[in-house]
Short mmCIF file of all heavy atoms in Angstrom, two decimals:
data_model
loop_
_atom_site.label_atom_id
_atom_site.label_comp_id
_atom_site.label_asym_id
_atom_site.label_seq_id
_atom_site.Cartn_x
_atom_site.Cartn_y
_atom_site.Cartn_z
N ILE Q 1 -2.16 195.92 174.79
CA ILE Q 1 -1.08 195.71 175.73
C ILE Q 1 -1.46 196.24 177.12
O ILE Q 1 -1.10 195.64 178.14
CB ILE Q 1 0.24 196.35 175.23
CG1 ILE Q 1 1.43 195.73 175.95
CG2 ILE Q 1 0.23 197.86 175.35
CD1 ILE Q 1 1.66 194.28 175.62
N GLY Q 2 -2.21 197.33 177.17
CA GLY Q 2 -2.63 197.86 178.48
C GLY Q 2 -3.58 196.93 179.20
O GLY Q 2 -3.41 196.65 180.39
N PHE Q 3 -4.59 196.41 178.49
CA PHE Q 3 -5.50 195.46 179.10
C PHE Q 3 -4.79 194.15 179.43
O PHE Q 3 -5.09 193.51 180.45
CB PHE Q 3 -6.69 195.18 178.17
CG PHE Q 3 -7.59 196.36 177.96
CD1 PHE Q 3 -8.27 196.54 176.76
CD2 PHE Q 3 -7.77 197.32 178.95
CE1 PHE Q 3 -9.11 197.62 176.56
CE2 PHE Q 3 -8.60 198.42 178.76
CZ PHE Q 3 -9.27 198.57 177.55
N GLY Q 4 -3.86 193.74 178.57
CA GLY Q 4 -3.12 192.51 178.85
C GLY Q 4 -2.32 192.61 180.14
O GLY Q 4 -2.25 191.64 180.92
N PHE Q 5 -1.73 193.79 180.40
CA PHE Q 5 -0.96 193.99 181.62
C PHE Q 5 -1.87 194.10 182.85
O PHE Q 5 -1.50 193.68 183.94
CB PHE Q 5 -0.13 195.27 181.50
CG PHE Q 5 1.13 195.12 180.69
CD1 PHE Q 5 1.31 194.05 179.83
CD2 PHE Q 5 2.13 196.06 180.76
CE1 PHE Q 5 2.46 193.92 179.07
CE2 PHE Q 5 3.30 195.94 180.02
CZ PHE Q 5 3.46 194.86 179.17
N ALA Q 6 -3.06 194.70 182.68
CA ALA Q 6 -3.88 195.07 183.84
C ALA Q 6 -5.00 194.09 184.16
O ALA Q 6 -5.53 194.13 185.27
CB ALA Q 6 -4.49 196.46 183.60
N PHE Q 7 -5.37 193.22 183.23
CA PHE Q 7 -6.58 192.41 183.36
C PHE Q 7 -6.59 191.59 184.65
O PHE Q 7 -7.59 191.57 185.39
CB PHE Q 7 -6.72 191.51 182.14
CG PHE Q 7 -8.01 190.73 182.08
CD1 PHE Q 7 -9.20 191.31 182.48
CD2 PHE Q 7 -8.04 189.43 181.61
CE1 PHE Q 7 -10.40 190.61 182.41
CE2 PHE Q 7 -9.22 188.71 181.54
CZ PHE Q 7 -10.40 189.30 181.94
N GLY Q 8 -5.50 190.91 184.96
CA GLY Q 8 -5.46 190.07 186.15
C GLY Q 8 -5.64 190.88 187.42
O GLY Q 8 -6.37 190.46 188.34
N GLN Q 9 -4.99 192.04 187.50
CA GLN Q 9 -5.14 192.87 188.69
C GLN Q 9 -6.57 193.38 188.85
O GLN Q 9 -7.11 193.41 189.95
CB GLN Q 9 -4.20 194.07 188.60
CG GLN Q 9 -2.73 193.73 188.67
CD GLN Q 9 -1.91 195.01 188.71
OE1 GLN Q 9 -1.84 195.68 189.73
NE2 GLN Q 9 -1.31 195.36 187.58
N VAL Q 10 -7.17 193.81 187.73
CA VAL Q 10 -8.53 194.34 187.80
C VAL Q 10 -9.49 193.26 188.29
O VAL Q 10 -10.37 193.54 189.12
CB VAL Q 10 -8.96 194.86 186.41
CG1 VAL Q 10 -10.44 195.27 186.44
CG2 VAL Q 10 -8.11 196.05 186.00
N LEU Q 11 -9.34 192.04 187.80
CA LEU Q 11 -10.19 190.95 188.26
C LEU Q 11 -10.06 190.74 189.77
O LEU Q 11 -11.06 190.60 190.49
CB LEU Q 11 -9.85 189.66 187.53
CG LEU Q 11 -10.35 189.48 186.10
CD1 LEU Q 11 -9.86 188.17 185.52
CD2 LEU Q 11 -11.88 189.53 186.05
N GLN Q 12 -8.81 190.72 190.24
CA GLN Q 12 -8.59 190.49 191.67
C GLN Q 12 -9.16 191.59 192.55
O GLN Q 12 -9.66 191.32 193.64
CB GLN Q 12 -7.09 190.36 191.94
CG GLN Q 12 -6.53 188.97 191.71
CD GLN Q 12 -5.19 188.81 192.39
OE1 GLN Q 12 -4.23 189.49 192.08
NE2 GLN Q 12 -5.12 187.89 193.35
N ILE Q 13 -9.12 192.82 192.05
CA ILE Q 13 -9.59 193.95 192.87
C ILE Q 13 -11.11 194.11 192.75
O ILE Q 13 -11.81 194.23 193.74
CB ILE Q 13 -8.88 195.25 192.44
CG1 ILE Q 13 -7.36 195.12 192.64
CG2 ILE Q 13 -9.43 196.43 193.23
CD1 ILE Q 13 -6.57 196.25 192.04
N GLN Q 14 -11.60 194.08 191.50
CA GLN Q 14 -13.01 194.38 191.27
C GLN Q 14 -13.93 193.24 191.69
O GLN Q 14 -15.06 193.48 192.12
CB GLN Q 14 -13.23 194.71 189.79
CG GLN Q 14 -14.61 195.25 189.47
CD GLN Q 14 -14.54 196.62 188.83
OE1 GLN Q 14 -13.50 197.04 188.35
NE2 GLN Q 14 -15.66 197.32 188.82
N PHE Q 15 -13.46 192.02 191.55
CA PHE Q 15 -14.28 190.86 191.92
C PHE Q 15 -13.51 190.01 192.92
O PHE Q 15 -13.25 188.83 192.71
CB PHE Q 15 -14.64 190.04 190.68
CG PHE Q 15 -15.52 190.78 189.70
CD1 PHE Q 15 -14.97 191.49 188.66
CD2 PHE Q 15 -16.90 190.75 189.84
CE1 PHE Q 15 -15.77 192.18 187.76
CE2 PHE Q 15 -17.72 191.43 188.94
CZ PHE Q 15 -17.15 192.16 187.91
N ALA Q 16 -13.15 190.64 194.04
CA ALA Q 16 -12.31 189.97 195.04
C ALA Q 16 -12.96 188.73 195.61
O ALA Q 16 -12.27 187.76 195.95
CB ALA Q 16 -11.98 190.96 196.15
N GLU Q 17 -14.30 188.73 195.69
CA GLU Q 17 -14.97 187.57 196.27
C GLU Q 17 -14.86 186.33 195.40
O GLU Q 17 -14.83 185.21 195.88
CB GLU Q 17 -16.45 187.88 196.53
CG GLU Q 17 -17.27 188.23 195.30
CD GLU Q 17 -17.14 189.68 194.88
OE1 GLU Q 17 -16.25 190.37 195.44
OE2 GLU Q 17 -17.89 190.12 194.00
N GLN Q 18 -14.77 186.52 194.06
CA GLN Q 18 -14.60 185.38 193.16
C GLN Q 18 -13.14 185.02 192.91
O GLN Q 18 -12.84 183.92 192.46
CB GLN Q 18 -15.27 185.66 191.80
CG GLN Q 18 -16.79 185.59 191.83
CD GLN Q 18 -17.41 186.98 192.00
OE1 GLN Q 18 -16.74 187.87 192.52
NE2 GLN Q 18 -18.64 187.15 191.59
N PHE Q 19 -12.23 185.97 193.17
CA PHE Q 19 -10.81 185.74 192.88
C PHE Q 19 -9.99 186.03 194.14
O PHE Q 19 -9.23 186.98 194.20
CB PHE Q 19 -10.35 186.62 191.71
CG PHE Q 19 -11.14 186.38 190.45
CD1 PHE Q 19 -12.18 187.22 190.10
CD2 PHE Q 19 -10.85 185.31 189.63
CE1 PHE Q 19 -12.91 187.00 188.95
CE2 PHE Q 19 -11.57 185.08 188.48
CZ PHE Q 19 -12.61 185.93 188.13
N ALA Q 20 -10.19 185.17 195.12
CA ALA Q 20 -9.55 185.38 196.43
C ALA Q 20 -8.06 185.11 196.40
O ALA Q 20 -7.30 185.63 197.22
CB ALA Q 20 -10.23 184.51 197.48
N THR Q 21 -7.61 184.25 195.48
CA THR Q 21 -6.18 183.91 195.40
C THR Q 21 -5.65 184.22 194.00
O THR Q 21 -6.42 184.30 193.03
CB THR Q 21 -5.96 182.41 195.69
OG1 THR Q 21 -6.57 181.64 194.63
CG2 THR Q 21 -6.58 182.01 197.02
N PRO Q 22 -4.33 184.39 193.85
CA PRO Q 22 -3.75 184.68 192.54
C PRO Q 22 -4.08 183.63 191.49
O PRO Q 22 -4.31 183.96 190.33
CB PRO Q 22 -2.24 184.72 192.83
CG PRO Q 22 -2.14 185.07 194.27
CD PRO Q 22 -3.32 184.44 194.92
N ILE Q 23 -4.12 182.38 191.88
CA ILE Q 23 -4.36 181.33 190.89
C ILE Q 23 -5.78 181.40 190.33
O ILE Q 23 -6.02 181.05 189.17
CB ILE Q 23 -4.08 179.93 191.49
CG1 ILE Q 23 -4.01 178.89 190.36
CG2 ILE Q 23 -5.12 179.54 192.52
CD1 ILE Q 23 -3.48 177.55 190.81
N ASP Q 24 -6.72 181.91 191.13
CA ASP Q 24 -8.09 182.07 190.65
C ASP Q 24 -8.13 183.05 189.47
O ASP Q 24 -8.80 182.81 188.46
CB ASP Q 24 -9.00 182.57 191.76
CG ASP Q 24 -9.16 181.56 192.88
OD1 ASP Q 24 -9.09 180.35 192.58
OD2 ASP Q 24 -9.35 181.96 194.04
N ALA Q 25 -7.41 184.17 189.60
CA ALA Q 25 -7.36 185.16 188.52
C ALA Q 25 -6.54 184.65 187.35
O ALA Q 25 -6.87 184.91 186.19
CB ALA Q 25 -6.79 186.48 189.05
N ALA Q 26 -5.46 183.93 187.64
CA ALA Q 26 -4.56 183.47 186.58
C ALA Q 26 -5.25 182.52 185.61
O ALA Q 26 -4.88 182.44 184.43
CB ALA Q 26 -3.34 182.79 187.20
N TYR Q 27 -6.27 181.80 186.07
CA TYR Q 27 -7.00 180.89 185.19
C TYR Q 27 -7.69 181.64 184.04
O TYR Q 27 -7.94 181.07 182.98
CB TYR Q 27 -8.05 180.11 185.98
CG TYR Q 27 -7.50 178.89 186.67
CD1 TYR Q 27 -7.61 178.75 188.05
CD2 TYR Q 27 -6.88 177.87 185.95
CE1 TYR Q 27 -7.10 177.63 188.71
CE2 TYR Q 27 -6.37 176.75 186.59
CZ TYR Q 27 -6.49 176.63 187.97
OH TYR Q 27 -5.98 175.52 188.59
N LEU Q 28 -8.01 182.93 184.26
CA LEU Q 28 -8.71 183.70 183.24
C LEU Q 28 -7.84 184.75 182.56
O LEU Q 28 -8.14 185.19 181.46
CB LEU Q 28 -9.93 184.40 183.86
CG LEU Q 28 -11.11 183.50 184.27
CD1 LEU Q 28 -12.15 184.32 185.00
CD2 LEU Q 28 -11.72 182.84 183.04
N THR Q 29 -6.76 185.16 183.23
CA THR Q 29 -5.97 186.29 182.76
C THR Q 29 -5.45 186.10 181.34
O THR Q 29 -5.43 187.04 180.55
CB THR Q 29 -4.78 186.53 183.73
OG1 THR Q 29 -5.29 186.85 185.02
CG2 THR Q 29 -3.90 187.65 183.24
N PHE Q 30 -5.03 184.89 181.01
CA PHE Q 30 -4.39 184.66 179.72
C PHE Q 30 -5.36 184.64 178.55
O PHE Q 30 -4.95 184.80 177.40
CB PHE Q 30 -3.61 183.34 179.75
CG PHE Q 30 -4.48 182.12 179.68
CD1 PHE Q 30 -4.75 181.50 178.47
CD2 PHE Q 30 -5.04 181.58 180.84
CE1 PHE Q 30 -5.55 180.38 178.40
CE2 PHE Q 30 -5.85 180.46 180.78
CZ PHE Q 30 -6.11 179.86 179.57
N LEU Q 31 -6.67 184.44 178.81
CA LEU Q 31 -7.61 184.21 177.72
C LEU Q 31 -7.74 185.42 176.79
O LEU Q 31 -7.72 185.28 175.56
CB LEU Q 31 -8.99 183.86 178.30
CG LEU Q 31 -9.15 182.45 178.87
CD1 LEU Q 31 -10.54 182.29 179.48
CD2 LEU Q 31 -8.92 181.41 177.78
N GLY Q 32 -7.88 186.61 177.39
CA GLY Q 32 -8.03 187.81 176.57
C GLY Q 32 -6.85 188.07 175.65
O GLY Q 32 -7.02 188.21 174.43
N PRO Q 33 -5.63 188.15 176.20
CA PRO Q 33 -4.47 188.35 175.32
C PRO Q 33 -4.29 187.25 174.29
O PRO Q 33 -3.85 187.51 173.16
CB PRO Q 33 -3.29 188.37 176.31
CG PRO Q 33 -3.89 188.83 177.59
CD PRO Q 33 -5.27 188.23 177.63
N LEU Q 34 -4.65 186.02 174.64
CA LEU Q 34 -4.53 184.92 173.68
C LEU Q 34 -5.47 185.14 172.50
O LEU Q 34 -5.07 185.03 171.33
CB LEU Q 34 -4.83 183.59 174.35
CG LEU Q 34 -4.79 182.35 173.43
CD1 LEU Q 34 -3.40 182.15 172.85
CD2 LEU Q 34 -5.23 181.11 174.20
N ILE Q 35 -6.72 185.46 172.79
CA ILE Q 35 -7.69 185.69 171.72
C ILE Q 35 -7.28 186.89 170.88
O ILE Q 35 -7.33 186.86 169.64
CB ILE Q 35 -9.09 185.90 172.33
CG1 ILE Q 35 -9.58 184.62 173.01
CG2 ILE Q 35 -10.08 186.34 171.26
CD1 ILE Q 35 -10.84 184.81 173.83
N GLY Q 36 -6.87 187.97 171.52
CA GLY Q 36 -6.45 189.16 170.79
C GLY Q 36 -5.25 188.92 169.90
O GLY Q 36 -5.14 189.48 168.80
N SER Q 37 -4.33 188.07 170.34
CA SER Q 37 -3.15 187.75 169.54
C SER Q 37 -3.51 186.90 168.33
O SER Q 37 -3.05 187.15 167.22
CB SER Q 37 -2.12 187.01 170.40
OG SER Q 37 -1.74 187.78 171.52
N LEU Q 38 -4.33 185.87 168.57
CA LEU Q 38 -4.68 184.97 167.48
C LEU Q 38 -5.50 185.66 166.41
O LEU Q 38 -5.43 185.29 165.23
CB LEU Q 38 -5.46 183.77 168.04
CG LEU Q 38 -4.67 182.82 168.95
CD1 LEU Q 38 -5.60 181.74 169.51
CD2 LEU Q 38 -3.51 182.18 168.19
N ILE Q 39 -6.30 186.66 166.78
CA ILE Q 39 -7.19 187.31 165.83
C ILE Q 39 -6.47 188.38 165.02
O ILE Q 39 -6.99 188.85 164.00
CB ILE Q 39 -8.40 187.92 166.59
CG1 ILE Q 39 -9.61 188.05 165.66
CG2 ILE Q 39 -8.05 189.27 167.19
CD1 ILE Q 39 -10.27 186.76 165.34
N ARG Q 40 -5.27 188.81 165.44
CA ARG Q 40 -4.61 189.92 164.75
C ARG Q 40 -4.37 189.65 163.27
O ARG Q 40 -4.63 190.54 162.44
CB ARG Q 40 -3.29 190.27 165.45
CG ARG Q 40 -2.57 191.42 164.76
CD ARG Q 40 -1.49 192.03 165.61
NE ARG Q 40 -0.87 193.15 164.91
CZ ARG Q 40 -0.22 194.15 165.49
NH1 ARG Q 40 -0.12 194.17 166.81
NH2 ARG Q 40 0.31 195.12 164.80
#
């Protein structure tokens, strides 16, 4: 739950050059929580 909440923000801050806009990060943000949910 912590990574699910923080992942999008971390991407935007840590790799700002690749994720200049919110939609750039949003394309990847959902993947981690989705995989973690399906595997439970």
Side-chain angles (χ1 to χ4, degrees):
I1 199 67
F3 294 149
F5 281 17
F7 187 39
Q9 293 186 76
V10 173
L11 282 177
Q12 275 198 298
I13 299 170
Q14 189 121 17
F15 295 93
E17 61 278 10
Q18 286 96 336
F19 302 99
T21 66
I23 193 169
D24 294 330
Y27 276 121
L28 290 173
T29 298
F30 75 95
L31 285 176
L34 178 63
I35 294 170
S37 302
L38 293 176
I39 205 74
R40 180 164 182 157

